[in-house]
Amino acid sequence: MAVNISRFVSVEDLRRAAKRRLPRPVFDYIDGGAEGEVTLRGNVRAFEEIAFRPRCAVETPPPHLQTTVLGTPIALPIILAPVGSSRMFWPRGEEVAASVAGAAGTIYSLSTLSGCRLEDVKKATPGPAWYQLYLCGGRDVAAATLQRARDAGFSALILTIDTAVAGMRERDLRNGVKELLTRRPGAMLPYIPQFLAKPGWLVPFLRDGGLMKFPNVVLADGPMLYADVGAMLEQSTVTWSDLRWIREIWKGPVVIKGVHTGDDARRAVDEGANAIVVSNHGGRQLDSVHPTIRVLPEIVAAVDGRIDVLLDGGVRRGGDVVKALCLGARAVLVGRAYAYGLAAAGAPGVRRALDILQADIARTMKLLGCTSLAELDRPYVSVPADWRAHP
Ligand SMILES: Cc1cc2nc3c(=O)[nH]c(=O)nc-3n(C[C@H](O)[C@H](O)[C@H](O)COP(=O)(O)O)c2cc1C
């Protein structure tokens, strides 16, 4: 059934549509966070605690939303974050999202834990793409993938540093994800009706090959299996010393994702990072860390203009993007905002998510009395007084 895209007026509308279409374990995989989901909620709420300080009665021609990240021009200050298993949300999900990002003039980031081959994803987008690395399978496996990513034309490498072990996602346990991955019919049976209840998702999922493997993590016996992700992540903690051999193979720009403090930001700069992402993985890893927007000013001060500072976590409106830019981010990454769109309606859903955010940004800037992203600065926002006392 064709979906009338224009009836989605906010990211929250796309979220609700994704919830209707997806089986519960898949929706909760996107929507959920770690443990008590304190950080997941906090990321969103912290944006709400920032107030704008507009400058009214000034000329505001249509604002320019173009910027550059790592020297690459992008049409809007939004990059698609790496989102693993997107192929479970929509057939060939990573290729679909990449093609929309490219058509919108921005960067798509491909997760190591994707269901589509990295070469096919790069081909799907007319724009730039970044590859996000986990060291699943060890150094040799990662080195082979890095070589493939370079050959395919990925222009930067994201190294995610906050995943020493997969976060504790309570929703997964309640939904029987562990049992479903055993592939033992007896264990799986009680959890199967969740999938049968969503034929609009199930039929395309089966036609697309069913439960994906990870074609960009090629182990001695073939692509890594879905059930093995947790164990593989635990055996593959990335450390600062890995950055040295990774840089030797990769040679291009490296973006460190998962920076929570000024200290780690300084360390990333000292180790030669070309950009950082202030990120708590969308509240999916260590719970009860500060919301990213709250730690952004500390990190921007620590970096002191030496490299690009990006931010993700909790961006659901274009106004959130504007707030992040006022506090010193060069651009933001969005994860769930586009994943909901992908899961709700495929390519038009991703396009809709980006259109909503883009229109929000343009409108917000006009209402602020600001015509270019470069003008967005600290005096346009007011942050709660206690944010300043201690990071
Ligand atoms: C379903 C899902 C899967 C994710 N998979 C990855 C991943 O494979 N690698 C990674 O570095 N980050 C991953 N992330 C984190 C995102 O890159 C990003 O940090 C986060 O989504 C930002 O928060 P937001 O969803 O509130 O925008 C994932 C996030 C979601 C929602």
Side-chain angles (χ1 to χ4, degrees), residues 34-35 134 160-169 229-238 281 284-286:
E35 302 177 31
Y134 285 133
T160 300
I161 61 168
D162 60 13
T163 312
V165 57
M168 163 57 165
R169 321 260 167 86
V229 177
M232 284 286 179
L233 281 174
E234 212 162 326
Q235 290 160 20
S236 63
T237 308
V238 66
H281 218 112
R284 301 165 72 82
Q285 285 299 111
L286 179 61

Side-chain angles (χ1 to χ4, degrees), residues 180 184-193:
L180 287 163
R184 279 189 286 111
M188 293 166 73
L189 201 59
Y191 302 100
I192 296 291

Side-chain angles (χ1 to χ4, degrees), residues 82 84 111 132 134 160 257 279 281-282 284 312-314 316 335-336:
S111 164
Q132 178 268 322
Y134 285 133
T160 300
K257 174 173 179 282
S279 172
H281 218 112
R284 301 165 72 82
D312 73 23
R316 303 289 183 270
R336 292 183 185 84

Side-chain angles (χ1 to χ4, degrees), residues 136-137 140-142 144-145 148 214-224:
C136 298
D140 290 348
V141 171
T145 307
R148 277 174 60 193
F214 295 105
N216 304 315
V217 183
V218 184
L219 309 171
D221 53 354
M224 182 171 75

